Amino acid sequence: MTERYVLDLQEVDEKQVAVVGGKGAHLGSLSRIEGIRVPAGFCVTTDAFRRIMAKAPSLDDRLDQLSRLNPDDREAIRTLSAQIRRTVEGIAIPDDLTAAITRALTRLGEQAAYAVRSSATAEDLPTASFAGQQDTYLNVVGPTAILQHVNRCWASLFTERAVTYRQRNGIDHRTVHMAVVVQRMVFPHASGILFTADPVTGNRKVATVDAGFGLGETLVSGLVNPDVFKVRHGEVVAKAIAAKQRAVHALPTGGTQEVAIDSRRQEQPALTDAQVVRLVQLGRRIEAHFGRPQDIEWCLVDDGFQIVQSRPITTLFPIPETGDQENHVYVSVGHQQMMTDPMKPLGLSMWQLTAMVPMHAAGGRLFVDVTRRLASPASRAGLLDVMGRGNPLVRDALETVLDRDDFVPSLPDAGPGGPPTGGASATIETDPAIVTELIERSQVSIAALERDIRTKTGPALFEFLLEAFAEHKRVLSDPLSMQAIMAGMEATWWLNDTLQEWLGEKNAADTLTLSAPDNVTSEMGLALLDVADVIRPHSEVVAFLQGVEDEGFLDELAKLAGGTEARDAIEAYLDRYGMRCVGEIDITRPRWRERPTTLVPVLLDNVRNFEPGAAERRFEQGRQKARQKEQDVLSRLRALPDGDRKAGEAKRMIDRVRTFIGYREYPKYGIVSRYFVYKQALLEEAERLVQAGVLPEKEDIFYLTFQELHDVVRSNQADDRLIQQRKDAFRSYHALTPPRVLTSDGEAVTGAYRRDDVPAGALIGLPVSAGTIEGRARVILDIAEADLEAGDILVTTFTDPSWSPLFVSVAGLVTEVGGLMTHGAVIAREYGLPAVVGVERATRLIRDGQRIRVHGSDGYVEILP
């Protein structure tokens, strides 16, 4: 096939990204949409770029060097990328390529003005916009100048920012090629950007138009504030007209110039409302063509709009697919489960198959549709009450949606809906034997699962697993288990509400629940202190662990003095807790048993920071504090009018909370224990698929749903392209922030704390564990990188049970995600750590090493000077 160096825009469409880059492909497609005007032009193809690059063999070595650099080594990237750019700009354009570009210019008008625009093959993609990574040159006049700027566009593939962006996104520099778009220049009265979905809220029904006078460079460069219009259902619903003091205009000789705008025009709108509505109609046509919301650059020329670019908006959170046109309201599962990271497809589908309610996937996260429960007044009150007690931000977000006109239709009460809100625990006695029996039932069920799964392989394994999921759900929905959980939670609420009313004391239950029995998660943190006690006396073992990197280190331990005891202690810990890990609701995440090195830093912190016997001492101290608090509360109550009755009621509730609150953590432990059994069986199946040549590697099964994996096992055939697409999509989901509440319009509703009782500048959150503590903030995003000293305050995005071993080392806790009854809050109370959760952007607003004060009773954090 002969290489084509120049293609007219009318000849290309979005299937030709490899030939004309993302921008060129989009412009070609735009020019084919009926009613959309695109300035005439042509593309200099990637064949031309490859030919230029081949003329400088030294570039190969430099690209190798570049790919080996750390993305954070700004100086090295700056130096090397500048060398590459100079080399590319110094390459003479071959005669036949010069002739092809000149011929195209002759057709369009040789002495006209042109925009010369970079168009990389990894640009304007559905998963990464690459906006602003390469260069554009406006008002270029004459063939010599145009050829020079085409060369500059090729070189702009290696600007420092473009190189860094690719390295951070894991994109190989060699796989990206540069085409160049050359378009007739338009000289607009006004220009700007149209987002066909609201880029801030994500609402797909609201379009946003930014507009300014002259060329769009004023807006892109931040030179002026634009006029901003919001359009919904064909009418302007909001607008803010800015004072636009400057504009960029084209010069007759080429190039552009910044000019001042006459003071009388500065506050005039750049567009009329009618023009804004017409522009949005064009935007909707473009959005329909590409099948997703667009970020569109437009120009107004003689009362007609010309479109100069359109790219997907990659920052919007996707909407769960429903197949209907009804309104829906979704609540994030990740915010309840303390895991807001994206999950791989197998993880999503396994959680869906074992969950008690239907769940919808979007953006690698799960959501529950609560529309029907909100629609019925009876279930609405119950849902809002439970959400509000656990997480006020979710309640506020739901109330914000309910305040919208008719978004959620009102339905007659259709019977019970939503989680139990009271009464469910009335029939259960305060009897510790109930918890013992529930734990035994769970253990028996898991033992049967481990026994019965051993003989199952191939399609029979998947049929067995579907039955196992039914048993999984049966255990989870055991009425006695639900009653025990609710009994503990309701007793906590009763104590907090009633003791505040009777004694004026906030969060009294926090101290009354210290060292509650049967809490498998807090026991896990203390048990690692006991492992540290075994290791501490053996200096050779401690020194060895400080250098551990290989997952096979347990076998090496036996060769050291004291190593056998150390290994046995770690193995015993892994036997009981090895199925846990960060993000454990995603079955694909590596468990501690699979990656025991994760625990080594925490173990070494425990060896360094604690004395022998710390676990038992801490548990006993908590028990004594709780007992003293109980005696104090009861004696103060007896001194009140009707005091004996009040003290009697409080005593019953204290007994109840201490009997049941520890069990709150057990069902999750049971789920994760079962998950590890499922996972081991599925990985053995994956190993067989690898041996048979069906899959290149075992972990590829994580990018298939459970049903798809079942089909692969049945047919012995896998779709490699699908797996690759899923890997790319999963990588892109990391850049998305999941909303607490999401509507079917795509609006992300975050909710707000409606409070005016906190000091100026304090970070507001939810008070979940009483007390005030001051100390050094340790911002830790990965448990394996924890390095803690006594008195440190842990600041992180979210904590699930796997973080509990860190809780014994810290003095306080701050998280971005969480509620009153989520795991971090429960364990913080167990250990007596002042804690504030649900603090928006805490890991970005608090710097590692800063001194902070955590107000665990009042729900705010102060950053100290």
Side-chain angles (χ1 to χ4, degrees):
M1 188 184 124
T2 57
E3 286 151 331
R4 290 196 65 188
Y5 296 129
V6 173
L7 291 173
D8 192 272
L9 272 183
Q10 298 281 343
E11 295 180 75
V12 301
D13 61 23
E14 63 253 51
K15 296 188 196 74
Q16 289 160 282
V17 170
V19 180
V20 295
K23 189 177 292 162
H26 264 73
L27 284 167
S29 283
L30 281 167
S31 65
R32 293 157 175 243
I33 304 172
E34 194 181 335
I36 302 299
R37 289 166 59 201
V38 175
F42 59 88
C43 298
V44 182
T45 67
T46 53
D47 284 342
F49 172 78
R50 272 190 287 269
R51 182 152 169 215
I52 291 293
M53 293 291 281
K55 286 174 73 76
S58 66
L59 285 172
D60 263 0
D61 287 344
R62 286 184 175 159
L63 286 177
D64 281 341
Q65 284 175 267
L66 198 58
S67 61
R68 287 196 294 271
L69 291 178
N70 183 318
D72 295 323
D73 190 347
R74 301 280 297 275
E75 195 52 48
I77 288 175
R78 186 176 298 128
T79 305
L80 193 51
S81 59
Q83 287 173 5
I84 294 172
R85 283 199 307 282
R86 275 197 301 276
T87 303
V88 174
E89 286 183 21
I91 298 169
I93 301 178
D95 291 348
D96 58 335
L97 181 47
T98 300
I101 294 170
T102 309
R103 274 198 304 277
L105 285 171
T106 305
R107 282 200 307 275
L108 290 172
E110 205 170 282
Q111 289 308 311
Y114 290 87
V116 182
R117 314 172 72 192
S118 308
S119 178
T121 54
E123 187 178 8
D124 298 349
L125 305 178
T127 55
S129 78
F130 287 74
Q133 297 309 312
Q134 281 89 37
D135 292 347
T136 285
Y137 302 97
L138 299 177
N139 201 33
V140 184
V141 179
T144 305
I146 286 167
L147 286 165
Q148 184 186 12
H149 284 87
V150 166
N151 207 324
R152 281 191 192 165
C153 282
W154 288 329
S156 79
L157 191 63
F158 302 103
T159 60
E160 183 191 343
R161 66 179 184 269
V163 166
T164 305
Y165 189 96
R166 287 197 293 274
Q167 284 183 280
R168 289 194 192 287
N169 284 277
I171 294 164
D172 181 350
H173 301 298
R174 292 170 188 285
T175 62
V176 185
H177 300 114
M178 181 66 84
V180 182
V181 175
V182 180
Q183 268 180 297
R184 281 292 292 259
M185 187 71 192
V186 291
F187 301 97
H189 160 72
S191 57
I193 300 163
L194 156 64
F195 296 97
T196 63
D198 189 318
V200 177
T201 68
N203 195 326
R204 309 310 199 258
K205 300 273 177 74
V206 175
T208 302
V209 175
D210 289 3
F213 294 122
L215 292 166
E217 294 309 286
T218 47
L219 308 189
V220 174
S221 63
L223 194 61
V224 299
N225 289 326
D227 297 339
V228 181
F229 302 85
K230 291 194 182 295
V231 176
R232 185 184 177 100
H233 299 319
E235 64 175 303
V236 175
V237 291
K239 61 182 166 182
I241 306 304
K244 298 169 289 296
Q245 294 166 342
R246 329 253 339 132
V248 172
H249 286 298
L251 292 168
T253 53
T256 59
Q257 181 183 36
E258 190 186 309
V259 296
I261 292 175
D262 184 295
S263 59
R264 286 164 302 184
R265 280 187 68 215
Q266 286 179 8
E267 303 211 14
Q268 282 181 0
L271 296 178
T272 66
D273 284 9
Q275 286 171 328
V276 170
V277 169
R278 194 161 83 243
L279 175 61
V280 170
Q281 285 168 345
L282 295 175
R284 292 284 177 225
R285 200 175 291 179
I286 294 167
E287 178 183 65
H289 175 84
F290 289 118
R292 55 186 300 160
Q294 297 288 303
D295 160 356
I296 297 165
E297 291 178 28
W298 56 268
C299 295
L300 178 66
V301 188
D302 303 328
D303 203 40
F305 287 103
Q306 299 217 23
I307 305 300
V308 294
Q309 187 159 335
S310 182
R311 63 166 77 93
I313 309 176
T314 57
T315 53
L316 298 176
F317 200 87
I319 307 169
E321 288 176 19
T322 56
D324 64 35
Q325 297 301 307
E326 304 295 313
N327 287 347
H328 294 269
V329 183
Y330 303 97
V331 171
S332 159
V333 172
H335 285 80
Q336 312 297 319
Q337 291 294 337
M338 303 304 289
M339 214 300 265
T340 53
D341 290 348
M343 295 166 71
K344 296 189 180 92
L346 186 64
L348 290 167
S349 68
M350 293 285 277
W351 194 262
Q352 286 172 306
L353 286 163
T354 51
M356 301 308 299
V357 293
M359 291 184 177
H360 306 266
R365 279 79 168 188
L366 289 168
F367 295 85
V368 173
D369 186 343
V370 295
T371 320
R372 287 197 68 78
R373 282 191 257 173
L374 286 175
S376 157
S379 57
R380 179 191 311 149
L383 179 71
L384 291 175
D385 183 49
V386 167
M387 290 293 177
R389 283 186 178 279
N391 193 326
L393 289 176
V394 174
R395 177 178 183 137
D396 188 76
L398 291 173
E399 286 176 334
T400 302
V401 175
L402 286 168
D403 287 344
R404 304 270 159 78
D405 295 343
D406 303 327
F407 188 83
V408 178
S410 256
L411 297 174
D413 288 342
T421 55
S425 55
T427 56
I428 192 173
E429 294 295 317
T430 304
D431 181 1
I434 291 172
V435 173
T436 309
E437 182 192 338
L438 285 167
I439 290 172
E440 278 174 11
R441 282 188 201 176
S442 176
Q443 287 171 339
V444 166
S445 174
I446 291 165
L449 171 67
E450 288 173 330
R451 183 189 65 235
D452 296 343
I453 205 168
R454 281 187 198 127
T455 56
K456 306 293 189 290
T457 61
L461 169 66
F462 288 81
E463 279 144 32
F464 171 81
L465 281 171
L466 289 170
E467 290 170 23
F469 298 162
E471 166 67 2
H472 180 124
K473 289 162 89 163
R474 190 195 64 73
V475 171
L476 266 188
S477 61
D478 181 338
L480 191 63
S481 178
M482 303 290 279
Q483 287 176 322
I485 292 167
M486 287 309 298
M489 285 165 61
E490 287 176 343
T492 305
W493 297 336
W494 188 94
L495 285 166
N496 280 338
D497 293 349
T498 311
L499 294 181
Q500 180 153 13
E501 183 190 331
W502 288 347
L503 298 175
E505 184 166 343
K506 279 184 185 174
N507 308 92
D510 292 2
T511 310
L512 293 166
T513 54
L514 287 172
S515 298
D518 299 312
N519 187 322
V520 70
T521 307
S522 60
E523 286 165 8
M524 176 170 73
L526 296 174
L528 204 61
L529 287 175
D530 290 335
V531 177
D533 286 355
V534 176
I535 289 167
R536 194 178 291 107
H538 305 293
S539 55
E540 215 180 316
V541 172
V542 174
F544 170 75
L545 289 175
Q546 282 164 344
V548 155
E549 287 178 11
D550 180 15
E551 297 301 343
F553 74 93
L554 289 170
D555 296 333
E556 298 294 309
L557 272 175
K559 300 170 188 170
L560 308 173
T564 306
E565 296 97 299
R567 185 195 61 197
D568 292 349
I570 296 171
E571 284 284 2
Y573 185 86
L574 290 172
D575 286 344
R576 181 140 167 75
Y577 303 110
M579 77 296 285
R580 309 221 84 151
C581 68
V582 173
E584 61 193 9
I585 70 169
D586 181 353
I587 198 171
T588 71
R589 289 285 192 107
R591 312 282 136 176
W592 290 344
R593 171 52 85 185
E594 297 169 302
R595 202 174 283 175
T597 51
T598 311
L599 289 172
V600 171
V602 192
L603 202 44
L604 289 169
D605 279 349
N606 288 352
V607 167
R608 187 177 71 243
N609 294 335
F610 293 93
E611 296 294 317
E616 196 176 336
R617 271 197 309 281
R618 286 193 64 139
F619 189 76
E620 190 50 38
Q621 283 164 0
R623 240 162 47 100
Q624 294 296 343
K625 270 191 196 165
R627 188 175 293 152
Q628 284 161 9
K629 183 70 174 176
E630 177 180 334
Q631 288 167 354
D632 170 56
V633 162
L634 295 179
S635 67
R636 285 160 63 200
L637 287 174
R638 287 192 192 98
L640 299 175
D642 198 16
D644 285 347
R645 178 188 64 80
K646 287 174 177 166
E649 279 186 48
K651 171 66 175 155
R652 278 195 298 280
M653 286 299 177
I654 291 168
D655 290 348
R656 200 163 178 74
V657 88
R658 290 197 67 78
T659 299
F660 292 117
I661 201 67
Y663 177 70
R664 165 97 178 77
E665 293 290 297
Y666 201 86
K668 182 78 168 279
Y669 176 76
I671 291 170
V672 176
S673 299
R674 300 178 81 90
Y675 261 32
F676 194 41
V677 180
Y678 306 152
K679 181 179 189 178
Q680 287 168 305
L682 290 172
L683 282 173
E684 282 173 25
E685 207 56 45
E687 185 58 53
R688 281 188 278 277
L689 292 170
V690 171
Q691 297 298 330
V694 177
L695 291 175
E697 47 193 46
K698 281 197 304 187
E699 283 73 20
D700 283 350
I701 68 166
F702 297 160
Y703 297 94
L704 299 170
T705 65
F706 180 81
Q707 186 56 55
E708 287 166 349
L709 179 53
H710 190 178
D711 292 342
V712 168
V713 168
R714 260 200 300 249
S715 66
N716 258 358
Q717 287 182 309
D719 183 342
D720 297 338
R721 212 172 63 242
L722 173 69
I723 290 170
Q724 189 53 53
Q725 282 170 356
R726 295 275 176 78
K727 287 179 178 178
D728 293 342
F730 177 71
R731 202 164 30 242
S732 75
Y733 294 152
H734 283 277
L736 300 174
T737 302
R740 287 183 175 83
V741 170
L742 178 68
T743 73
S744 48
D745 284 354
E747 185 179 4
V749 193
T750 50
Y753 295 108
R754 311 286 172 183
R755 293 176 56 189
D756 51 13
D757 59 342
V758 295
L763 309 180
I764 301 175
L766 182 64
V768 295
S769 185
T772 302
I773 192 75
E774 195 174 300
R776 177 178 70 154
R778 293 315 312 266
V779 180
I780 297 172
L781 302 179
D782 180 351
I783 192 172
E785 289 168 13
D787 179 15
L788 296 163
E789 299 286 345
D792 284 348
I793 296 168
L794 172 62
V795 180
T796 190
T797 318
F798 58 78
T799 63
D800 58 13
S802 70
W803 286 73
S804 303
L806 288 192
F807 283 27
V808 298
S809 300
V810 297
L813 174 71
V814 179
T815 67
E816 293 181 348
V817 177
L820 194 62
M821 285 295 170
T822 47
H823 301 277
V826 172
I827 305 308
R829 290 194 291 272
E830 280 276 316
Y831 287 167
L833 302 178
V836 180
V837 301
V839 180
E840 290 281 290
R841 296 173 57 236
T843 59
R844 279 165 282 179
L845 296 173
I846 299 170
R847 287 197 314 278
D848 187 52
Q850 273 185 319
R851 286 195 70 74
I852 61 172
R853 189 181 296 129
V854 177
H855 296 263
S857 305
D858 296 312
Y860 65 90
V861 179
E862 290 178 284
I863 298 173
L864 302 175

